[in-house]
Amino acid sequence: DTAVSQTPKYLVTQMGNDKSIKCEQNLGHDTMYWYKQDSKKFLKIMFSYNNKELIINETVPNRFSPKSPDKAHLNLHINSLELGDSAVYFCASSQAQDQPQHFGDGTRLSIL
Amino acid sequence: SQQGEEDPQALSIQEGENATMNCSYKTSINNLQWYRQNSGRGLVHLILIRSNEREKHSGRLRVTLDTSKKSSSLLITASRAADTASYFCATEVAGTASKLTFGTGTRLQVTL
């Protein structure tokens, strides 16, 4: 009965590889988000979708591409991984804009 | 640049004591939210306070907002060991619906 679930929880891969992180929410929320948390715990928004439509696209390298097949899912695909991509990536959702956000437990991405 | 800055960066108290964390921000906001993050977990929403509100309570939590000083405080009364976590303030900047900008966090340690 997890509200926001992300897979995988850990991802260890080599530089240059392509990887995807999946996120699903069963809260019936309209808005979903991807955040990146660095080693100093600083959390920064990357993308946001509202009803499958992209509404926030921060200054993120083109190697990062979100995809929302439906309202309950928001996946993140990363091409040509770099050392600086090592971080914890969090998915979140909210009922609407201007509402509290519910976070998944994160995906810890380590680039070798 | 970061919108929010929490103070102190770290706080260590004994069980039963009160803990106060402060957050300062730079621009006009729609609302300010406080989140808790336990080690290795996602963020959990605590309280949302809108720009036209000055104080909100939830259980042992009390949040104040002073928009003239662009600051907020989170008070946890009668702290418990289970309150040990990092606490983040997040602001929804005016005119940017659903985009949260997080502060740097306060690491709270509650000892028995």
Side-chain angles (χ1 to χ4, degrees), chain B:
Chain B
S1 64
Q2 293 164 211
Q3 163 74 328
E5 298 273 347
E6 278 96 336
D7 172 57
Q9 288 189 337
L11 181 60
S12 183
I13 59 174
Q14 291 195 318
E15 210 173 40
E17 294 181 335
N18 295 342
T20 300
M21 288 160 260
N22 302 297
C23 170
S24 60
Y25 57 92
K26 297 174 183 173
T27 60
S28 296
I29 61 173
N30 293 329
N31 64 65
L32 184 145
Q33 304 179 34
W34 284 91
Y35 288 81
R36 184 188 76 232
Q37 184 179 31
N38 290 87
S39 182
R41 303 298 300 273
L43 281 75
V44 174
H45 179 262
L46 299 175
I47 287 186
L48 183 153
I49 185 165
R50 301 193 187 279
S51 59
N52 60 353
E53 297 175 310
R54 292 297 166 255
E55 189 170 311
K56 279 189 98 165
H57 297 254
S58 176
R60 295 183 295 112
L61 306 180
R62 173 177 165 251
V63 167
T64 61
L65 178 64
D66 187 335
T67 52
S68 67
K69 293 181 179 178
K70 291 187 170 58
S71 67
S72 173
S73 67
L74 170 67
L75 168 67
I76 304 174
T77 59
S79 63
R80 305 166 182 168
D83 294 329
T84 294
S86 291
Y87 291 81
F88 294 88
C89 71
T91 51
E92 186 180 291
V93 175
T96 63
S98 87
K99 178 183 170 182
L100 286 184
T101 304
F102 282 80
T104 50
T106 292
R107 173 75 188 157
L108 174 65
Q109 178 78 40
V110 182
T111 55
L112 296 170

Side-chain angles (χ1 to χ4, degrees), chain A residues 1 6 13 15 17 26-27 30 32 39 51 82 89 110:
Chain A
D1 59 345
Q6 298 178 225
T13 189
M15 216 164 43
N17 284 350
N26 63 4
L27 298 167
D30 286 339
M32 295 186 72
S39 58
N51 258 322
E82 299 177 357
Y89 292 84
S110 299

Side-chain angles (χ1 to χ4, degrees), chain A residues 70-107:
Chain A
D70 55 57
K71 225 171 62 164
H73 296 84
L74 180 60
N75 304 322
L76 183 65
H77 188 76
I78 315 170
N79 289 325
S80 303
L81 282 157
E82 299 177 357
L83 288 175
D85 297 333
S86 293
V88 182
Y89 292 84
F90 286 99
C91 177
S93 71
S94 64
Q95 176 64 39
Q97 300 170 19
D98 191 31
Q99 292 295 310
Q101 295 183 17
H102 297 251
F103 283 76
D105 278 339
T107 294

